[in-house]
Amino acid sequence: MDDTPATEGALPAQVDPAAPAGSPAVNGSDERRDYRPGYEIVAERILEYITGERLVAGDRLPTEIDLAQMLGTSRAVVREAVKILSALGRVRAHKGRGLFVADDEGMLVNSRWGGFFRPADIDHVLMLFEFRRVQEMSASSLAATRATPSELRTIEVAMQQCRHGFVHGQVDVFNQADEDFHAAVSAASHNTFIAGAVRDARRLQRQSSAIGIHDTLGENTRAAVEEHEAIYRAIRDGRPEEAARATAAHLDRTLEDYRREIQRRLFG
């Protein structure tokens, strides 16, 4: 997890993206956000700028210097924010040409929902978890009645890879297998809209994970491995209600882990 304290370049949470340096917060009641590192807030503001200006893939963004002036922060903080957004696939930097909005697939990400979502806003993250809970419970329930042998095998392999990544302390292996597991379950629902919603909601959540909550392997990971196995077994055995309950338990526990980490980062 990223426990970096707020730096000199950190902006107040409610600063207008176009406000000059030193402008007061519009709403100072939510003081807990002052603890966030500057690059987190700037990354969020750049996403808001892209949405507000209705920029699409291929459109040019202001330079790092111009962004720093617009956001009232330093170029160094903007550069760190751009690194995060580049890793998320939201912007791309071309040497000698500047910054551009990157291609970004997905119904939610390209819709007004994607623009609405603020990855560093805890309230938005909680709403996203609620949305995921509804969609993924439906996906696993349908998968329990529709999954083909090949799809069951794909789910099983992803589950096993999650366990392998946890046992051997391989964060990247676990994270990729986790993505594969949820994608395989949603694909086995044989409902294109549900599968798309699950995929895109998870993409939005990865933004919040990259901006502030960084993955580690611990007891919560062990619980996720066991929960994945419970979901898989219910789907394999054709028990839709049990699959939905196991999925709900998995997401509820994940949300509680997220809540605790937010509390730890903000209040120690």
Side-chain angles (χ1 to χ4, degrees):
M1 299 293 176
D2 184 357
D3 299 312
T4 306
T7 63
E8 182 180 355
L11 299 174
Q14 300 297 330
V15 168
D16 185 328
S23 295
V26 174
N27 180 0
S29 63
D30 195 358
E31 294 181 357
R32 64 182 180 178
R33 293 180 187 172
D34 291 341
Y35 291 88
R36 291 160 52 203
Y39 65 82
E40 291 184 11
I41 301 171
V42 171
E44 180 181 325
R45 295 296 181 261
I46 293 174
L47 291 176
E48 291 176 348
Y49 174 82
I50 291 172
T51 300
E53 295 297 315
R54 300 182 181 276
L55 301 182
V56 297
D59 286 347
R60 184 189 296 271
L61 287 164
T63 65
E64 289 182 356
I65 294 176
D66 290 338
L67 286 171
Q69 292 176 344
M70 290 168 55
L71 300 176
T73 188
S74 70
R75 184 178 180 182
V77 174
V78 170
R79 186 177 297 115
E80 290 303 311
V82 168
K83 287 179 182 178
I84 292 175
L85 296 177
S86 295
L88 291 171
R90 299 305 300 272
V91 305
R92 65 177 185 273
H94 290 292
K95 190 172 183 179
R97 294 179 55 201
L99 297 174
F100 296 83
V101 179
D103 295 334
D104 208 351
E105 301 174 348
M107 294 182 296
L108 295 183
V109 176
N110 282 334
S111 73
R112 68 184 184 90
W113 289 1
F116 161 81
F117 180 67
R118 295 190 179 102
D121 187 320
I122 184 62
D123 292 329
H124 285 205
V125 173
L126 299 183
M127 284 188 280
L128 184 60
F129 267 102
E130 288 182 350
F131 181 80
R132 281 192 57 198
R133 193 178 194 273
V134 171
Q135 299 302 325
E136 296 200 38
M137 285 178 67
S138 297
S140 59
S141 177
L142 290 173
T145 63
R146 298 177 179 179
T148 66
S150 175
E151 288 167 338
L152 284 173
R153 178 58 180 161
T154 300
I155 297 171
E156 181 182 23
V157 168
M159 176 196 71
Q160 293 170 341
Q161 280 295 99
C162 281
R163 184 176 296 280
H164 176 86
F166 169 67
V167 169
H168 295 280
Q170 299 172 325
V171 177
D172 291 341
V173 171
F174 175 85
N175 287 341
Q176 184 58 58
D178 182 57
E179 288 296 321
D180 294 343
F181 178 85
H182 288 273
V185 170
S186 64
S189 73
H190 293 204
N191 185 306
T192 300
F193 295 99
I194 289 177
V198 169
R199 178 191 66 239
D200 294 329
R202 287 182 61 82
R203 291 188 72 189
L204 290 179
Q205 189 176 324
R206 283 199 299 276
Q207 294 178 16
S208 63
S209 295
I211 302 177
I213 304 297
H214 300 290
D215 295 320
T216 58
L217 299 179
E219 289 305 309
N220 59 328
T221 315
R222 181 191 300 277
V225 169
E226 295 171 352
E227 290 156 2
H228 284 173
E229 183 168 355
I231 295 168
Y232 162 71
R233 291 185 183 279
I235 293 173
R236 182 198 62 187
D237 297 342
R239 300 194 298 269
E241 292 182 2
E242 184 174 333
R245 285 196 299 269
T247 299
H250 175 49
L251 292 175
D252 288 346
R253 196 268 316 154
T254 303
L255 174 56
E256 285 308 306
D257 288 340
Y258 196 99
R259 286 181 190 271
R260 283 194 295 270
E261 179 58 25
I262 287 293
Q263 291 295 317
R264 186 185 70 80
R265 292 184 72 234
L266 294 184
F267 305 113

